[in-house]
Amino acid sequence: MIPLTTNQHSFFLSISKPTPLSFHPHFLQLKSPFSFFSLSSPTDSNLVRVSNFEVSVFNSDHEEEKDKGVSIELHDLSPNGPVYQKTLQLVECSMFAALTGLVYFLSNSLAIENYFSCFFSLPIVISSMRWGVDAGRKTLVATTILLFVLSGPVKALTYLLKHGIVGYTMGTLWRSGASWNLSIFLCTIVRALGAVGFVLISSFLIRENILALITINIHASLTFVLTASGVTSIPSMNLIYTLFGILVLLNSGCFMFLLHLLYSVFLTRMGMKSSLRLPRWLERNI
C-alpha cells in the first residue's frame, strides 16, 4: 500500500531588478483616433512626414488676369478713361437738352421767345465743339423729344426748323474747321429753308395759305409804291416770288452773321478760342 503523499508547492516571490523600458520604434506606437499621426518605423510606408506636405499655391496666371481686369476697370473709370468720358458726354448732352427745352417752353408760355431765340442753338454748338458732331446730334434729338412731350408736335417742329437744324449745321461746320464765309452761307440757306418750312406747316395747321397771303401783300405794297412814284407798270408774280426769296435770304443772312459773332465771343470767354477759326479782324478785337 502506497502511502498518500501531499506535494506542497512552494511559491517564491522573486523580485528581480527591473529592466529598463526599451523605446525601440517597433514597440512604441501611439494609438489615437487620428491615424495619420501614428509614429511607426522609419521604414513604414504609411509614415507621414512633414516634408511630404506641400504648400498650396494659387494660380499666378489667374491672379494676373484678375489684377489686369481690375487695372483696366480703374483705367476706364479714371478722368481720362473712355467710360468716364462717355458718361460725362451723356450727362452734359442731357443737361443741355433739359435746359434748352425748359427755356424754350417758358419763353413760349410767357410770349418772350423773341428775346431768347438767339440762345436756343447755343447748347448744340457747345456740345458739338466739346465732344464732336455725335454729341450735337444727341442734344438736338433729346431737346426735340423733350419739347414734343412738354408742348406737343407743333412746338417741337418749330424748334427743330428754326433753331435745332441751324445749331447742328453751325456746330458741324465749326467742328470741321470751316471758314466763316462758308459757315454763314450754309447756315443762311438752312435758316431760310426752316423759315419757309415753318410757314408751310403753319399753313397746313390753320387751313390757310400763308405763303400766298404774304406774296399778295408784297405785290399790293409794291404796286402802290410804283403807282405813287408815277410808274404805271405792274410787277409780275414771278418777280414777287423772287423778291420774297431775296428778302428771306437777306433776313436769314443778317441773323446768322450776328449769331456767329455772338457765339464766337461766348465760346472765346469759355476758353475754347483755340478750337475756333475766327476772322482776323475779330481775332484781333477779342
Side-chain angles (χ1 to χ4, degrees), residues 187-209:
C187 290
T188 299
I189 295 177
V190 172
R191 172 76 180 183
L193 293 177
V196 174
F198 171 72
V199 171
L200 294 177
I201 292 176
S202 301
S203 301
F204 174 77
L205 293 175
I206 66 175
R207 297 291 190 266
E208 186 69 36
N209 193 351

Side-chain angles (χ1 to χ4, degrees), residues 212-254:
L213 292 176
I214 294 174
T215 54
I216 289 174
N217 289 328
I218 294 175
H219 184 271
S221 300
L222 186 60
T223 303
F224 177 78
V225 171
L226 293 176
T227 303
S229 301
V231 179
T232 58
S233 62
I234 299 176
S236 62
M237 290 304 299
N238 292 328
L239 178 63
I240 298 300
Y241 293 148
T242 304
L243 182 61
F244 173 75
I246 293 174
L247 291 176
V248 171
L249 290 175
L250 184 62
N251 184 17
S252 300
C254 294

Side-chain angles (χ1 to χ4, degrees), residues 15-235:
I15 300 174
S16 61
K17 185 178 179 179
T19 58
L21 182 61
S22 176
F23 290 95
H24 195 274
H26 290 283
F27 297 97
L28 182 58
Q29 292 183 354
L30 179 61
K31 299 295 184 177
S32 66
F34 306 99
S35 60
F36 51 86
F37 286 106
S38 62
L39 299 177
S40 59
S41 174
T43 59
D44 192 0
S45 61
N46 294 326
L47 180 63
V48 179
R49 299 179 182 180
V50 179
S51 62
N52 292 332
F53 289 99
E54 295 181 357
V55 181
S56 62
V57 181
F58 293 100
N59 190 2
S60 60
D61 296 337
H62 179 69
E63 288 184 351
E64 291 178 358
E65 292 178 358
K66 186 176 180 180
D67 295 339
K68 185 177 179 181
V70 173
S71 62
I72 292 176
E73 292 179 358
L74 292 177
H75 177 69
D76 291 340
L77 296 178
S78 62
N80 295 326
V83 176
Y84 182 85
Q85 294 294 324
K86 186 176 292 185
T87 305
L88 184 60
Q89 173 187 343
L90 291 176
V91 171
E92 286 192 7
C93 292
S94 60
M95 292 298 294
F96 280 139
L99 180 62
T100 307
L102 181 61
V103 173
Y104 189 82
F105 175 75
L106 293 178
S107 63
N108 277 275
S109 301
L110 301 175
I112 55 175
E113 181 183 358
N114 295 329
Y115 298 98
F116 295 96
S117 60
C118 58
F119 295 103
F120 292 148
S121 303
L122 183 60
I124 301 176
V125 177
I126 295 177
S127 299
S128 300
M129 294 299 295
R130 280 179 54 82
W131 302 104
V133 181
D134 295 337
R137 183 173 63 251
K138 292 176 183 177
T139 306
L140 171 62
V141 174
T143 307
T144 305
I145 294 176
L146 181 60
L147 288 174
F148 180 82
V149 174
L150 293 177
S151 303
V154 177
K155 296 299 182 182
L157 285 175
T158 303
Y159 167 80
L160 183 65
L161 293 175
K162 296 179 65 176
H163 307 286
I165 302 178
V166 173
Y168 180 70
T169 304
M170 186 187 301
T172 303
L173 293 173
W174 282 15
R175 180 71 180 184
S176 61
S179 62
W180 261 41
N181 295 328
L182 180 61
S183 179
I184 292 176
F185 176 74
L186 293 180
C187 290
T188 299
I189 295 177
V190 172
R191 172 76 180 183
L193 293 177
V196 174
F198 171 72
V199 171
L200 294 177
I201 292 176
S202 301
S203 301
F204 174 77
L205 293 175
I206 66 175
R207 297 291 190 266
E208 186 69 36
N209 193 351
I210 301 177
L211 188 61
L213 292 176
I214 294 174
T215 54
I216 289 174
N217 289 328
I218 294 175
H219 184 271
S221 300
L222 186 60
T223 303
F224 177 78
V225 171
L226 293 176
T227 303
S229 301
V231 179
T232 58
S233 62
I234 299 176

